[in-house]
């Protein structure tokens, strides 16, 4: 069966960095669009960063552009989110999404989801 597992979250001071990992089993990540979403307490889940199945298209929401980077490691079948210059506003549960259909350009509503990893940024 397909499983998606996130890791790498934690507590960090403002200005610090974290690297989140998303490892999938049961599929090849290079064949699927993938993305990172986050949900802060009392707020709706929002998209953060995404990458097309072939890596040609990468998107970041405006408030993380220039600070976050998304990439994949084919050998490890893993998606990464490198988070630099973290701000308290980045505090949230971060979720990895993998498109169910292969070779799509974007992550849609039909996705596999991990259980999330908590990121907390202190002032």
């Amino acid at each position: 069966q397909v499983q998606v597992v996130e890791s790498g979250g934690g507590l960090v001071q403002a200005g610090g960095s974290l690297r989140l990992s998303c490892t999938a089993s049961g599929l090849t990540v290079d064949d699927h669009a993938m993305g990172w979403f986050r949900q802060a307490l009392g707020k709706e889940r929002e998209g953060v960063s995404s990458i097309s199945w072939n890596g040609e298209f990468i998107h970041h929401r405006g408030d993380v552009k220039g600070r976050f980077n998304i990439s994949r490691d084919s050998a490890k079948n893993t998606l990464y989110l490198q988070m630099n210059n973290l701000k308290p506003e980045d505090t949230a549960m971060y979720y990895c999404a993998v498109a169910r259909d292969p070779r799509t350009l974007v992550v849609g509503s039909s996705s596999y989801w991990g259980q999330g990893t908590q990121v907390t940024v202190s002032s």
Side-chain angles (χ1 to χ4, degrees):
Q1 62 179 353
V2 174
Q3 287 189 308
V4 179
V5 180
E6 304 99 332
S7 62
L11 176 64
V12 64
Q13 292 184 339
S17 299
L18 287 172
R19 188 179 73 167
L20 306 185
S21 299
C22 172
T23 299
S25 60
L27 56 77
T28 300
V29 300
D30 281 355
D31 291 337
H32 294 258
M34 303 179 71
W36 290 95
F37 294 74
R38 67 187 182 188
Q39 186 169 20
L41 289 175
K43 297 184 178 180
E44 295 184 348
R45 187 174 298 188
E46 62 185 18
V48 179
S49 302
S50 63
I51 185 169
S52 61
W53 73 272
N54 59 4
E56 184 175 359
F57 303 103
I58 294 174
H59 175 76
H60 302 287
R61 66 179 295 110
D63 56 353
V64 309
K65 193 172 298 182
R67 299 190 295 121
F68 291 10
N69 299 108
I70 189 169
S71 63
R72 282 184 292 213
D73 186 327
S74 298
K76 297 181 179 180
N77 213 43
T78 297
L79 176 75
Y80 298 102
L81 183 67
Q82 179 65 48
M83 309 165 66
N84 300 315
N85 192 24
L86 283 161
K87 303 176 180 180
E89 305 93 274
D90 296 318
T91 295
M93 183 72 75
Y94 283 71
Y95 299 91
C96 177
V98 184
R100 290 183 181 268
D101 294 330
R103 296 180 295 280
T104 57
L105 294 179
V106 299
V107 179
S109 59
S110 181
S111 301
Y112 299 105
W113 292 89
Q115 294 299 305
T117 184
Q118 178 68 40
V119 172
T120 302
V121 184
S122 62
S123 301

